């Protein structure tokens, strides 16, 4: 629930907020080669983007499969027509489900050195979480409106009427 103090943060040189999202990357069990073992494999704990980037990539692969297999809109396979999600849709869904981190912490188990808030230069939109991103039948209460590859042009307007009956 905390960002490691060694994690890079924004803003970019031109003022954009970065990172877009974050993922676990500290003390992650990872496979390693171990010539002394019979199977030549073992596990070690590592930290950094080499650990967090695969979490995001794997999450994005599951998300893509969700759309291709027609899990949208009902949250179960075949509840809709499958489609190839655009990169911008994938990024939007990852960002929309981001969970607020509790702060920036000196690791391991050090003091909290900075607080965080949504859409800041420490965590972007937060820690990715598929359960908070996409409807899953009987597992969450998410209703989502997904629009894929809709072109946005200068001065264009898009209006959506939504009936919100509960928070």
């Amino acid at each position: 629930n905390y960002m490691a103090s060694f994690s890079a943060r924004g803003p970019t040189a031109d003022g954009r907020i970065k990172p877009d999202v974050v993922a676990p990357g500290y003390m992650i069990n990872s496979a390693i080669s171990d010539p002394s073992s019979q199977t030549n494999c073992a596990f070690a704990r590592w930290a950094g983007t080499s650990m967090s980037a695969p979490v995001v990539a794997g999450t994005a692969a599951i998300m893509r499969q969700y759309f291709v297999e027609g899990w949208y809109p009902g949250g179960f396979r075949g509840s809709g027509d499958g489609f190839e999600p655009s990169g911008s849709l994938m990024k939007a869904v990852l960002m929309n489900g981001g969970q607020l981190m509790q702060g920036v912490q000196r690791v391991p188990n050090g003091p909290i050195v900075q607080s965080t808030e949504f859409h800041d230069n420490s965590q972007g939109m937060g820690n990715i979480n598929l359960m908070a991103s996409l409807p899953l039948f009987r597992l969450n209460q998410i209703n989502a409106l997904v629009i894929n590859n809709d072109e946005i042009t200068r001065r264009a307007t898009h209006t959506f009427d939504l009936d919100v009956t509960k928070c």
Side-chain angles (χ1 to χ4, degrees), residues 6-109:
F6 61 78
S7 295
R9 294 188 275 289
T12 62
D14 62 0
R16 290 174 292 133
I17 292 175
K18 290 294 175 183
D20 295 320
V21 293
V22 295
Y26 182 71
M27 298 302 286
I28 305 295
N29 287 327
S30 182
I32 62 170
S33 175
D34 183 1
S36 67
S37 76
Q38 254 184 341
T39 61
N40 196 29
C41 63
F43 292 94
R45 287 190 165 192
W46 296 93
T49 54
S50 294
M51 299 296 104
S52 60
V55 172
V56 177
T59 302
I62 292 168
M63 238 174 37
R64 182 184 177 284
Q65 182 178 1
Y66 178 95
F67 290 119
V68 169
E69 291 182 351
W71 287 66
Y72 174 81
F76 57 93
R77 188 178 189 164
S79 66
D81 295 329
F83 63 90
E84 290 287 334
S86 65
S88 57
L89 174 60
M90 299 283 287
K91 182 176 179 180
V93 171
L94 279 174
M95 292 175 75
N96 188 57
Q99 304 293 293
L100 180 65
M101 303 294 287
Q102 294 183 10
V104 178
Q105 180 179 27
R106 226 176 242 123
V107 290
N109 301 319

Side-chain angles (χ1 to χ4, degrees), residues 79-143:
S79 66
D81 295 329
F83 63 90
E84 290 287 334
S86 65
S88 57
L89 174 60
M90 299 283 287
K91 182 176 179 180
V93 171
L94 279 174
M95 292 175 75
N96 188 57
Q99 304 293 293
L100 180 65
M101 303 294 287
Q102 294 183 10
V104 178
Q105 180 179 27
R106 226 176 242 123
V107 290
N109 301 319
I112 307 306
V113 294
Q114 181 183 339
S115 63
T116 55
E117 55 189 60
F118 273 121
H119 210 237
D120 69 9
N121 281 305
S122 289
Q123 65 159 8
M125 294 301 286
N127 191 17
I128 61 172
N129 180 347
L130 275 181
M131 286 296 289
S133 300
L134 295 167
L136 292 168
F137 186 66
R138 294 190 177 150
L139 294 176
N140 63 26
Q141 298 296 312
I142 295 175
N143 290 313

